């Protein structure tokens, strides 16, 4: 029986070599796309000050922060009065730091701190783990990788269009069946104003953000908990739960219904501008769908918001983001608007695995195993291994002379596509017997010929 202490904490996972190789495939695909558009890499600490994190994700997000106890005697600065004031007060005394919740707030802190040394607009991508004290379930973990791209310092809606272009390009390259949904928080603000619940706009957005999980019944229940009247709930539901055939019909409807608020019209016009840029970029609008109930529950979004949903696999959102005009202001820096999207790497991985989308040969970092059948042959294998590695072919040498069957089994178990066999006959000719483990073909070749043969297969 396995020792229960060998398990990982709930919501976390180990990753085998094959899983890491596959994840690197996803990340390299995304990084290559980002860098073609001029984005640069950035990393920030796993730990942030609690003051940096709180108040940026709404009440729901604050509850999901992983707080880290102060070093040493963390109770030394607390008193019995602090206990009596409740856990929230006590936690502010015994825990001054927390784990990253996302990559956007650390980005805003970094930009505010280093603004004098950055070139604006600042375009960065960041790929690091984040932590959320959420309830683990399929596609949702407590520790997971995020991958963000952001543009800081520009109000141009071309930024939004470029990010959508990157989303479409990235997910198309990964062969995922997807749609990018788009909305504008200004439209939702106008809806809240129209139905006289402007002071509860955040509660409305948090409730709408749960539509895909709980349906309209669940959204209405959430609104009831936030003390929306039944009449208001019915009115909002009727207003947003419509089925127009195209974006133009939606935009004309919203322009008419929200004409009394300038912010609503502004939100629609921004979306129209984004679609015009997408046309110029030759991005198919069949992939980019307006969704008036898309809310993105995080409180820092102020304009266009985005979410990518895979049409198969049932893992929920695989990317999301939007415009945030005021995020750096909480760090004392104004006039630095930003927009960005986050990729859910773990969800993308789970999705690609369930849909069998990973390349079949994506199982090993080694392309060639050299095996010597005796000591002299092993020495020759060691010498020739440098030639293969120097030619860009990842090469292993089996550590001891062994029977051929043992080496073949090792190569099969590691999915190494080529085996170079060296025995007495091969040694006398200074050649290797190169076996293709996929086709079964075997040829006696010089080292240079073997290099060319392996390269010709794309290895």
């Amino acid at each position: 029986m396995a020792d229960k202490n060998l398990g990982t904490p709930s919501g976390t996972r180990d990753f085998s070599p094959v899983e890491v190789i596959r994840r690197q495939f996803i990340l390299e695909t995304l990084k290559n796309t980002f860098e073609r558009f001029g984005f640069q890499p950035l990393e920030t600490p796993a730990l942030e000050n609690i003051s940096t994190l709180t108040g940026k994700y709404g009440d729901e997000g604050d509850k999901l922060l992983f707080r880290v106890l102060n070093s040493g005697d963390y109770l030394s600065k607390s008193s019995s009065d602090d206990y009596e004031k409740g856990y929230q007060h006590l936690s502010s005394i015994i825990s001054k730091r927390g784990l990253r919740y996302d990559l956007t707030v650390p980005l805003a802190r970094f930009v505010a701190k280093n603004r004098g040394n950055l070139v604006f607009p600042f375009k960065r991508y960041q790929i690091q783990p984040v932590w959320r004290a959420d309830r683990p379930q399929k596609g949702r973990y407590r520790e997971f990788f995020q991958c963000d791209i952001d543009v800081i310092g520009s109000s141009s809606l071309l930024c939004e269009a470029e990010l959508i272009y990157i989303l479409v390009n990235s997910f198309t390259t990964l062969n995922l069946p997807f749609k990018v949904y788009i909305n504008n928080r200004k439209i939702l603000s106008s809806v809240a104003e129209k139905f006289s619940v402007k002071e509860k706009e955040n509660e409305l957005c948090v409730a709408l953000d749960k539509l895909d999980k709980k349906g309209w019944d669940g959204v209405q229940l959430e609104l009831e908990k936030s003390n929306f009247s039944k009449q208001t709930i019915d009115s909002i539901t009727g207003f947003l739960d419509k089925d127009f055939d195209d974006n133009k019909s939606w935009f004309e409807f919203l322009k008419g219904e929200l004409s009394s608020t300038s912010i609503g019209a502004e939100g629609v016009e921004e979306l129209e501008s984004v679609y015009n840029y997408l046309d110029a970029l030759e991005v198919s609008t069949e992939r980019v769908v307006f969704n008036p109930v898309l809310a993105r529950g995080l409180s820092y979004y102020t304009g266009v918001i985005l979410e990518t949903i895979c049409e198969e696999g049932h893992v929920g959102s695989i990317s999301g983001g939007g415009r945030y005009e005021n995020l750096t202001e909480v760090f004392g820096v104004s006039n630095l608007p930003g927009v960005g999207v986050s990729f859910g790497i773990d969800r993308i991985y789970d999705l690609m695995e369930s849909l069998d989308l990973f390349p079949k040969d994506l199982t090993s970092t080694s392309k060639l195993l050299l095996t010597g059948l005796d000591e002299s042959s092993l020495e020759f294998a060691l010498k020739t291994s440098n030639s293969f590695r120097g030619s860009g072919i990842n090469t292993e040498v089996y550590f001891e002379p062994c029977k051929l069957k043992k080496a073949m089994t090792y190569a099969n178990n590691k999915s190494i596509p080529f085996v170079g066999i060296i025995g007495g006959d091969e040694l006398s000719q200074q050649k290797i017997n190169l076996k293709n483990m996929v086709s079964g073909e075997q040829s006696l070749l010089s080292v240079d010929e073997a290099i060319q043969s392996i390269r010709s297969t794309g290895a």
Side-chain angles (χ1 to χ4, degrees):
M1 181 179 295
D3 187 339
K4 64 180 181 179
N5 292 322
L6 297 178
T8 61
S10 177
T12 68
R13 300 168 293 168
D14 292 319
F15 293 95
S16 70
V18 170
E19 290 170 323
V20 173
I21 291 168
R22 287 177 170 178
R23 181 156 63 179
Q24 287 174 341
F25 169 77
I26 295 172
L27 296 180
E28 286 302 317
T29 299
L30 296 177
K31 286 195 290 186
N32 289 340
T33 302
F34 303 158
E35 290 180 359
R36 284 200 300 271
F37 284 81
F39 287 80
Q40 296 178 303
L42 175 70
E43 292 187 357
T44 59
L47 287 175
E48 293 280 356
N49 293 322
I50 282 293
S51 59
T52 297
L53 299 174
T54 51
K56 314 302 189 305
Y57 308 108
D59 292 339
E60 294 263 322
D62 282 353
K63 294 175 184 177
L64 301 181
L65 293 175
F66 269 112
R67 297 170 182 264
V68 177
L69 292 175
N70 298 337
S71 302
D73 185 0
Y74 53 85
L75 292 175
S76 62
K77 295 183 179 180
S78 63
S79 65
S80 57
D81 289 340
D82 295 319
Y83 285 86
E84 293 175 1
K85 291 178 181 179
Y87 78 94
Q88 288 182 320
H89 173 77
L90 180 62
S91 67
S92 68
I93 296 173
I94 65 175
S95 173
K96 299 295 185 182
R97 290 168 291 277
L99 293 175
R100 256 191 325 253
Y101 181 90
D102 75 347
L103 301 179
T104 303
V105 169
L107 167 66
R109 177 193 54 73
F110 173 85
V111 171
K113 177 183 176 183
N114 298 280
R115 62 190 181 280
N117 301 316
L118 298 176
V119 176
F120 291 101
F122 177 55
K123 301 172 70 173
R124 84 84 169 88
Y125 70 86
Q126 187 171 351
I127 303 172
Q128 289 184 279
V130 299
W131 294 265
R132 297 182 184 179
D134 211 343
R135 183 172 65 86
Q137 54 186 291
K138 181 178 174 58
R140 188 182 293 272
Y141 305 99
R142 287 176 171 167
E143 178 189 59
F144 56 97
F145 267 77
Q146 273 194 347
C147 170
D148 280 16
I149 49 174
D150 289 79
V151 182
I152 304 293
S154 174
S155 296
S156 171
L157 291 165
L158 180 55
C159 297
E160 278 85 340
E162 186 173 275
L163 292 179
I164 293 172
Y165 189 8
I166 290 172
L167 288 172
V168 172
N169 187 292
S170 299
F171 292 130
T172 300
T173 302
L174 293 171
N175 294 316
L176 287 168
F178 69 94
K179 284 187 179 178
V180 179
Y181 292 97
I182 184 172
N183 195 9
N184 197 311
R185 285 293 285 261
K186 293 176 181 177
I187 292 174
L188 294 173
S189 294
S190 184
V191 170
E193 187 173 339
K194 176 181 177 66
F195 294 103
S196 303
V197 288
K198 181 64 177 175
E199 73 284 357
K200 294 183 178 181
E201 180 183 334
N202 281 340
E203 290 89 338
L204 173 62
C205 290
V206 168
L208 288 174
D209 195 41
K210 299 177 181 179
L211 180 62
D212 61 331
K213 305 180 190 74
K214 299 185 176 183
W216 275 110
D217 289 342
V219 170
Q220 291 173 341
L221 183 60
E222 289 291 321
L223 293 175
E224 287 178 14
K225 291 178 181 178
S226 297
N227 296 318
F228 283 68
S229 70
K230 185 178 186 308
Q231 180 180 355
T232 300
I233 293 172
D234 290 343
S235 297
I236 292 174
T237 302
F239 183 83
L240 293 175
D241 189 17
K242 288 184 168 55
D243 188 22
F244 290 115
D245 292 332
D246 53 55
N247 294 337
K248 184 177 180 180
S249 298
W250 260 115
F251 294 157
E252 291 303 318
F253 167 75
L254 291 173
K255 283 180 182 178
E257 292 292 324
L258 303 179
S259 59
S260 60
T261 63
S262 60
I263 193 170
E266 184 178 324
V268 175
E269 289 171 2
E270 288 181 359
L271 291 178
E272 289 178 324
S273 294
V274 171
Y275 274 104
N276 288 336
Y277 284 131
L278 290 176
D279 286 340
L281 289 167
E282 299 181 341
V283 175
S284 171
T285 52
E286 291 182 3
R287 290 287 200 186
V288 186
V289 181
F290 171 65
N291 181 2
V293 296
L294 175 64
R296 301 295 297 162
L298 299 181
S299 59
Y300 52 63
Y301 291 123
T302 58
V304 173
I305 46 179
L306 305 165
E307 190 162 72
T308 306
I309 303 292
C310 189
E311 297 171 287
E312 302 176 30
H314 308 293
V315 300
S317 170
I318 56 175
S319 80
R323 168 70 63 174
Y324 44 91
E325 295 291 341
N326 308 311
L327 194 59
T328 57
E329 286 188 0
V330 300
F331 300 112
V333 178
S334 57
N335 301 319
L336 278 180
V339 60
V341 293
S342 175
F343 294 73
I345 299 301
D346 293 282
R347 287 190 179 185
I348 293 170
Y349 181 100
D350 290 346
L351 192 57
M352 291 186 66
E353 186 175 51
S354 67
L355 298 178
D356 195 24
L357 295 178
F358 287 109
K360 301 304 180 187
D361 62 347
L362 203 64
T363 55
S364 175
T365 56
S366 298
K367 299 301 180 184
L368 171 66
L369 172 68
L370 292 175
T371 180
L373 303 183
D374 54 45
E375 283 293 343
S376 297
S377 301
L378 180 59
E379 290 180 13
F380 181 66
L382 289 171
K383 290 178 182 179
T384 58
S385 65
N386 289 330
S387 297
F388 287 103
R389 292 177 186 133
S391 299
I393 298 171
N394 295 347
T395 302
E396 291 189 46
V397 177
Y398 200 83
F399 288 116
E400 58 189 4
C402 68
K403 292 182 178 180
L404 189 56
K405 182 179 179 180
K406 187 175 183 180
M408 293 297 182
T409 300
Y410 178 83
N412 273 325
N413 289 341
K414 290 194 68 175
S415 300
I416 300 174
F418 292 94
V419 175
I421 306 160
I422 304 170
D425 292 342
E426 289 83 10
L427 181 60
S428 66
Q429 300 177 66
Q430 298 288 286
K431 293 186 177 183
I432 68 172
N433 241 317
L434 185 66
K435 183 178 179 66
N436 186 318
M437 299 296 286
V438 177
S439 68
E441 296 178 358
Q442 188 168 317
S443 304
L444 183 64
L445 303 171
S446 68
V447 173
D448 288 341
E449 289 170 339
I451 291 171
Q452 294 305 314
S453 180
I454 294 172
R455 280 180 168 177
S456 68
T457 65

